[in-house]
Amino acid sequence: MLSLTIYISFIGALVVAMLPAKPSSMARILALMVAVAGLVVGVVGYVADFGKGLVILTDKAWVPSMGIHYLLAADGISRTLVLLTGLAAVAGVLFSWNIELRTNEFFAFFLALIGGVYGVFLSYDLFLLFVFYEIAIVPKYFLIAIWGSTRREYAAMKLALYSFVGSAMVLIGLLAAYATSGSHSTSLIALHAAGLPVSFQMWCFPLVFIGFGILAGMWPFHTWAPTGHVAAPTAASMLLAGVVMKLGAYGCLRVGIWLLPHGLDPWGWSFIGIGSWRDVFAVLAVIGIVYGALVALAQTDFKFVIGYSSVSHMGFVLLGLMTLNQVGITGAVMQMFSHGVIAGLLFAIVGRIVYERTHTRQLAELETMHLSRRIPFAAWAFVIAGMASMGLPGFSGFVAELQVLIGAWMAKPWWVVAAGLGIVVGVAYTWRAMQKAFFGDGKASVHDLEQERAHPFAAITWPEVTGVVLLASVSLAVGLYPRMLLDQIEPAVKALLAGGVQ
Amino acid sequence: MNYADLFRVTLPETALEIAALLVLVVDLGFLRKAALKTRVAAAALLGVAGCGAAFWAQFWAVTHGAWTFGPEGGHAILINIFYAGAAQSGILVLTALTLLLLMGATFTRHVGEYVAVVLMAAAGGLLVATAQDLLVIFIGLELLSLGLYILTAFAKSSGKSAEAAMKYYLFGGMSAAFLLFGFSYFYGLSGSTNLTKIQEVIAVSGPSPLFYVAWILVVAGLGFKVAAVPFHLWAPDTYEGAPAPAAAFIASVSKVASFALLISFSVHWLVPANALVRGTSERYLLDVYRTWPQLSTILLVVAAASMVVGNLAALAQVSVRRLLAYSAVAHAGYMLLGIAVHPHYPGQGNPFDFYMSTDSAMLNANAVMYYVLTYGLTTIGAFGLVDVVERATGSDRMDAFLGLHKRNPALAAVLLVLFLSLAGIPPLVGFWAKFNLFAAVLRAQAGVVPFTLVALAIAFSAVSLYYYLQVLKRAYVMAPVDETPIKVNHTTMLVLVGIAAAVVILGIFPGLLQGWIEAFYPVI
């Protein structure tokens, strides 16, 4: 049932691509219908399989001579992320309602990207996962290169090449694991049970983890992310930061940690406290959290602040993964969901609501525009989104980050100290951006007021309102009643850890 | 030697030769006064019919037991099955496609001669693919090569065409000389020109330094044919200067034939694939396993160099044809990796058991065949596309592709599919070909060297995405300079769309082509 999400998205993409370019409303409406259909299927599948463990959706032999199967399956983690993708897809379409240039091609690439993402989350065969992972690269390139803004061609090429290099590393790991396990099957379940030797896992794990980590925005391979997010059109930024970076984190979890658990074993010697790949990646995650936050604090471009905050928040996900305990990894998956929703909201506000009206993202210029008075909806929305992003209790971010920190404390206390620093700086950069953009100090002069009356901003449209309400209410609901997600995620994480991760 | 057998086994070649003569007769005899378009159409269709007849003849030969030709109780001189059968059928299909691309061509008035030379070169290619004897190999190779030199020069009004042909001919002639020199040493060392017999004699006596010298010379000659580094210098100029249908033929058919030849060498010499059929002793197997792996070292070096140089040089290209040439060098590097890596006997245990457990000779051969056939198909499409754009805009530089998505959306979609397949993006066939090849290589030998080379190949595939995206960027992203729609000949459009569809379908259902290749392995 959940596999319908993939097929609906790809067929939708094909149909939208063949539509004529001129009445762009046809493309939009069809894209919205497809995205909503995907979300509905995701929700129904989520609720229907609540409490069940791993559910196999499709298993067809694809290349029997090599043991490759078209194997789709979902456990609690996959179902949660499919739900996230559905939300991000609908919100993305809503916030792209005003695109007039080559609308049908835009939504075709958008839906193709969504289809690829659904495919990664639902694949349980490593080869199939890799295929969907790579399918997602090409639409990203075109979305940014054609409809993007600042330095779009450079940003698009950088993003495409970094993603491709990351997936090349994963391909090497995939071929190695397949060959070492006897070339019988590429199904994740079979490879997990194949008992890959520890010495093999010791070098394959970092290769695969870094390969997926590049897409997850792991420091120091994160540099494609701020450039790419800023250059991308709003919907693409929302998808990139919201869902595509989670593809990398999901790969780290499912393929890295589950398939190659002994790669995290201690080496037997340690150097300044680092004695295993677990320590290495945890340190990189913590650096990512603090570095991302500090750099966000120094930005002059509103969208760059959000871009770097994504790097910082993804650091929490990676830190949670490296705790290797129930609480930490659950927190990491929660953070994937929470940050997906919140980052989508933030990019939507900055890109669609503010930039499309003010035509500038420079905080210094926005400071003079009195946005809290002229577009109060944007100010309200950003205050809510900013609080959620900071980790205010009541929103999903708090639940996620709390669990990650508890898990980190159980693993190595000093990680919590450094991560906590990141949270404090997080408050700083969020409030700084909020204040500069919306609540600038100066009193409006008479001349300013005349200008504003002469050139008023466009009114807030219904797609924008719907999108903001959708995302904000999801974050609030999960923050107030996290069990709606935790009851799915926790059993799945328990099963994953029981499979051999110490 | 039963000449009726010879006739049965070489039916495809015969069909092509008859078709070539028929084309000449029809064009020079009956269509002297007809318009160029009619003559081109007639010649091309006759040529395609000839390829079809040859394909049917090949099918008939395989299903009626005409599998090998050779002296009674001796080694086969020609074989029609296994990888050779797949190569033959592939060559015929690819030749037919390059002939279809001829429709609407205006680069020459000597249409009959052009098609006749193509068919005769294809016959040479068929011979190269089936031959197991050094002399027959050389004859086939020369027939193929001389045809290719002539085809390169066919655009008489273009200086580039003549220059390219001159370079190709001089370089090729010299390489053929090296090849023949190496072959003569092999004859001298073993007293036979048959690949299997040479292996048997030398395995018993052990390879001498002269043998290695001869092997290097042969690799030089064969490296030229497949455009491997450092024998690739003819490729960029030839791909740039030759008329597009001829360049498509060179890039696809000659590659298929040459790799089939390399597989023959590898299957006979690098691993004793026929040991089971011949009945063998442990001593013999041990000798072979100890000495032959050293032969593959030079192939590995050439493969690695080709991957690196081909991809790096392509990064700097502005002309799409030269870009395709350097990418051809890179792809030859990947394929050579498949040829060069074979199982290494670990040194203990019964060598016969080891031989029985690793049937990777044929696995590698199948993976290389799959790769070269799909690569040939994609390249024909790419050259067809470049030809269309060249005729519409007058240049083959990347900027000629600006705004292609507006000028002809279907053409731009075909470009997208073909170039992404060459870059190795799933779910297209180029990705599966690479995955299959690397999986076969690692299954054969999972040591440090094959591993590093596979990692190198994958890393450089990532590099290649950059230059393929550059062309796609021109077609889809950058602002067009000229927005007049591009009209394409109906046959050409049909061929291009068909190739793009095949690339997508074969990529999603890889079992189709693999099953077809495996059909050439009759149960003995």
Side-chain angles (χ1 to χ4, degrees):
Chain A
M1 164 81 187
L2 276 175
S3 49
L4 281 178
T5 51
I6 308 177
Y7 310 137
I8 294 176
S9 304
F10 277 120
I11 295 176
L14 209 61
V15 172
V16 170
M18 313 244 253
L19 287 177
K22 263 320 119 180
S24 41
S25 54
M26 265 207 303
R28 282 183 208 129
I29 295 176
L30 189 59
L32 184 62
M33 281 163 46
V34 171
V36 168
L39 176 61
V40 165
V41 171
V43 169
V44 168
Y46 186 85
V47 168
D49 291 336
F50 208 98
K52 294 193 200 151
L54 184 68
V55 174
I56 304 220
L57 304 165
T58 321
D59 187 359
K60 289 217 175 69
W62 194 5
V63 186
S65 56
M66 290 178 75
I68 299 180
H69 282 238
Y70 183 75
L71 177 61
L72 295 176
D75 69 352
I77 300 174
S78 318
R79 286 192 279 272
T80 314
L81 293 171
V82 164
L83 199 60
L84 168 69
T85 312
L87 286 167
V90 173
V93 173
L94 286 173
F95 283 110
S96 312
W97 211 253
N98 62 336
I99 298 232
E100 292 293 338
L101 170 70
R102 294 162 76 175
T103 316
N104 59 334
E105 288 176 50
F106 178 85
F107 284 114
F109 282 124
F110 185 89
L111 290 174
L113 178 57
I114 293 281
V117 171
Y118 276 129
V120 174
F121 288 141
L122 291 173
S123 300
Y124 240 70
D125 179 292
L126 190 50
F127 179 79
L128 184 64
L129 192 147
F130 183 79
V131 167
F132 278 122
Y133 194 76
E134 288 234 302
I135 287 183
I137 295 183
V138 172
K140 277 189 294 194
Y141 174 79
F142 286 110
L143 280 173
I144 299 180
I146 305 179
W147 291 276
S149 52
T150 320
R151 291 170 87 199
R152 58 178 184 254
E153 282 178 24
Y154 165 76
M157 186 62 81
K158 188 171 186 176
L159 184 142
L161 289 178
Y162 267 71
S163 306
F164 205 57
V165 167
S167 65
M169 293 170 80
V170 171
L171 180 61
I172 297 174
L174 154 61
L175 281 168
Y178 177 64
T180 313
S181 70
S183 300
H184 297 302
S185 167
T186 52
S187 129
L188 281 178
I189 307 172
L191 284 174
H192 178 74
L196 299 163
V198 175
S199 55
F200 169 78
Q201 290 191 30
M202 271 297 174
W203 68 260
C204 193
F205 174 78
L207 186 71
V208 169
F209 198 89
I210 295 180
F212 279 117
I214 291 178
L215 199 61
M218 179 166 74
W219 190 92
F221 309 109
H222 66 286
T223 46
W224 62 269
T227 322
H229 293 154
V230 168
T234 308
S237 309
M238 291 169 65
L239 275 189
L240 272 177
V243 179
V244 169
M245 286 175 99
K246 315 304 178 278
L247 283 184
Y250 177 78
C252 287
L253 179 60
R254 191 74 83 190
V255 182
I257 298 181
W258 190 54
L259 218 54
L260 306 164
H262 289 289
L264 293 156
D265 289 348
W267 297 325
W269 52 270
S270 74
F271 174 66
I272 51 169
I274 297 181
S276 67
W277 285 115
R278 179 189 181 205
D279 294 329
V280 171
F281 292 125
V283 166
L284 290 181
V286 165
I287 296 180
I289 297 175
V290 177
Y291 178 87
L294 287 175
V295 176
L297 194 56
Q299 295 304 314
T300 56
D301 181 322
F302 202 0
K303 211 168 175 187
F304 264 106
V305 174
I306 314 297
Y308 277 105
S309 91
S310 289
V311 174
S312 182
H313 284 290
M314 285 308 291
F316 271 101
V317 173
L318 292 168
L319 181 63
L321 290 180
M322 285 297 104
T323 58
L324 295 181
N325 52 44
Q326 172 81 18
V327 181
I329 298 191
T330 311
V333 179
M334 276 291 281
Q335 174 73 332
M336 287 191 221
F337 184 91
S338 158
H339 177 252
V341 171
I342 295 172
L345 191 53
L346 286 170
F347 275 113
I349 297 169
V350 172
R352 172 72 182 93
I353 304 185
V354 172
Y355 180 64
E356 301 266 340
R357 291 177 172 81
T358 61
H359 300 292
T360 175
R361 294 193 299 255
Q362 298 303 314
L363 288 169
E365 289 176 33
L366 291 173
E367 217 172 350
T368 63
M369 288 193 182
H370 309 285
L371 292 178
S372 60
R373 186 165 40 79
R374 296 174 70 188
I375 18 173
F377 179 77
W380 272 102
F382 192 82
V383 169
I384 295 175
M387 298 301 126
S389 166
M390 275 175 1
L392 193 73
F395 290 99
S396 52
F398 173 70
V399 179
E401 287 176 9
L402 180 66
Q403 289 189 299
V404 169
L405 290 175
I406 294 177
W409 181 269
M410 282 159 55
K412 283 219 176 122
W414 79 262
W415 291 352
V416 178
V417 173
L421 212 79
I423 297 187
V424 172
V425 181
V427 173
Y429 70 69
T430 314
W431 276 354
R432 170 180 174 264
M434 185 169 70
Q435 191 197 9
K436 277 183 170 272
F438 294 101
F439 303 107
D441 255 342
K443 261 177 120 74
S445 68
V446 175
H447 173 78
D448 285 337
L449 288 171
E450 275 174 12
Q451 284 290 340
E452 286 171 23
R453 224 166 291 145
H455 309 281
F457 283 145
I460 302 280
T461 58
W462 72 264
E464 292 169 290
V465 175
T466 319
V468 168
V469 166
L470 177 69
L471 293 175
S473 56
V474 165
S475 183
L476 189 62
V478 172
L480 290 177
Y481 190 64
R483 280 190 60 184
M484 67 169 86
L485 289 186
L486 286 177
D487 282 350
Q488 276 269 31
I489 301 175
E490 274 171 0
V493 173
K494 192 180 282 185
L496 197 142
L497 284 174
V501 185
Q502 92 270 30
Chain B
M1 292 218 208
N2 189 343
Y3 281 95
D5 268 341
L6 175 62
F7 183 64
R8 268 197 288 271
V9 166
T10 55
L11 264 180
E13 286 91 331
T14 315
L16 282 182
E17 296 292 344
I18 294 178
L21 294 173
L22 211 66
V23 165
L24 279 176
V25 164
V26 167
D27 188 66
L28 296 174
F30 300 117
L31 294 177
R32 296 245 72 182
K33 299 278 171 39
L36 184 61
K37 260 183 21 189
T38 326
R39 288 172 57 213
V40 168
L45 287 174
L46 266 175
V48 171
C51 291
F55 192 88
W56 179 87
Q58 157 77 3
F59 179 72
W60 182 92
V62 170
T63 50
H64 282 75
W67 292 339
T68 64
F69 167 72
E72 302 300 322
H75 302 284
I77 296 181
L78 300 174
I79 61 171
N80 226 352
I81 44 171
F82 302 149
Y83 56 89
Q88 283 194 306
S89 303
I91 288 176
L92 292 167
V93 170
L94 294 175
T95 310
L97 286 173
T98 56
L99 286 174
L100 284 175
L101 281 183
L102 201 56
M103 301 288 200
T106 50
F107 61 85
T108 178
R109 287 183 299 126
H110 305 284
V111 181
E113 286 99 317
Y114 179 88
V115 174
V117 172
V118 167
L119 291 173
M120 287 192 264
L126 292 182
L127 211 56
V128 167
T130 64
Q132 308 291 306
D133 182 290
L134 294 178
L135 286 178
V136 181
I137 290 174
F138 192 73
I139 294 173
L141 217 50
E142 281 306 283
L143 184 54
L144 176 63
S145 306
L146 290 173
L148 294 179
Y149 307 148
I150 299 173
L151 291 175
T152 313
F154 240 88
K156 286 210 280 199
S157 56
S158 154
K160 268 203 224 164
S161 179
E163 180 189 341
M166 200 57 175
K167 285 184 186 168
Y168 193 15
Y169 173 56
L170 290 174
F171 209 103
M174 197 171 67
S175 306
F178 271 98
L179 194 67
L180 197 56
F181 196 30
F183 283 176
S184 70
Y185 275 162
F186 284 137
Y187 175 68
L189 286 168
S190 64
S192 161
T193 55
N194 190 293
L195 290 180
T196 323
K197 194 75 181 26
I198 297 175
Q199 177 204 44
E200 284 180 0
V201 169
I202 295 185
V204 165
S205 62
S208 54
L210 197 61
F211 180 81
Y212 289 112
V213 169
W215 175 242
I216 306 273
L217 291 171
V218 166
V219 168
L222 293 175
F224 159 79
K225 275 316 291 178
V226 302
V229 167
F231 316 108
H232 67 288
L233 299 166
W234 60 272
D237 288 313
T238 308
Y239 280 46
E240 194 180 14
F249 187 78
I250 295 173
S252 58
V253 170
S254 104
K255 276 252 154 65
V256 173
S258 315
F259 272 102
L261 179 60
L262 272 168
I263 294 176
S264 293
F265 275 101
S266 124
V267 148
H268 284 291
W269 290 359
L270 296 182
V271 84
N274 66 336
L276 187 60
V277 179
R278 287 283 133 195
T280 185
S281 74
E282 241 183 67
R283 179 85 250 146
Y284 165 70
L285 272 175
L286 272 174
D287 284 332
V288 171
Y289 275 129
R290 198 181 320 117
T291 54
W292 298 108
Q294 296 159 38
L295 291 183
S296 54
T297 312
I298 182 170
L299 285 176
L300 290 172
V301 169
V302 170
S306 303
M307 289 188 245
V308 173
V309 170
N311 279 310
L312 291 182
L315 287 176
Q317 298 308 315
V318 188
S319 150
V320 177
R321 280 188 183 226
R322 291 184 87 89
L323 187 145
L324 285 173
Y326 281 110
S327 100
V329 173
H331 284 278
Y334 306 141
M335 291 188 257
L336 278 172
L337 194 59
I339 304 254
V341 176
H342 285 283
H344 265 185
Y345 174 62
Q348 58 276 81
N350 188 335
F352 204 73
D353 292 337
F354 177 73
Y355 170 73
M356 291 296 281
S357 69
T358 55
D359 189 21
S360 71
M362 284 313 168
L363 214 76
N364 276 22
N366 285 357
V368 173
M369 254 307 112
Y370 192 100
Y371 197 111
V372 78
L373 287 174
T374 51
Y375 171 73
L377 188 70
T378 320
T379 308
I380 293 180
F383 269 105
L385 224 142
V386 167
D387 189 30
V388 169
V389 172
E390 249 176 4
R391 277 196 246 155
T393 59
S395 109
D396 71 331
R397 302 182 92 79
M398 281 204 220
D399 289 341
F401 286 80
L402 280 173
L404 192 62
H405 76 278
K406 276 221 182 87
R407 304 181 70 176
N408 192 325
L411 216 60
V414 168
L415 180 73
L416 184 72
V417 168
L418 293 179
F419 271 39
L420 288 181
S421 171
L422 285 173
I425 302 255
L428 303 171
V429 82
F431 167 71
W432 176 259
K434 283 204 173 94
F435 181 83
N436 193 22
L437 187 67
F438 298 146
V441 165
L442 289 179
R443 199 190 311 206
Q445 214 189 102
V448 173
V449 169
F451 223 95
T452 322
L453 286 171
V454 167
L456 195 74
I458 296 179
F460 276 95
S461 295
V463 169
S464 75
L465 183 66
Y466 176 78
Y467 54 78
Y468 290 123
L469 273 182
Q470 288 291 15
V471 183
L472 290 176
K473 189 164 81 158
R474 302 291 187 293
Y476 274 98
V477 176
M478 292 168 68
V481 185
D482 177 5
E483 292 205 20
T484 50
I486 295 185
K487 289 221 174 55
V488 187
N489 185 307
H490 288 302
T491 324
T492 313
M493 199 67 214
L494 208 66
V495 168
L496 289 177
V497 169
I499 291 180
V503 164
V504 174
I505 294 175
L506 290 177
I508 300 180
F509 302 106
L512 290 175
L513 189 57
Q514 273 191 295
W516 181 77
I517 293 178
E518 275 163 24
F520 286 96
Y521 287 73
V523 180
I524 298 174

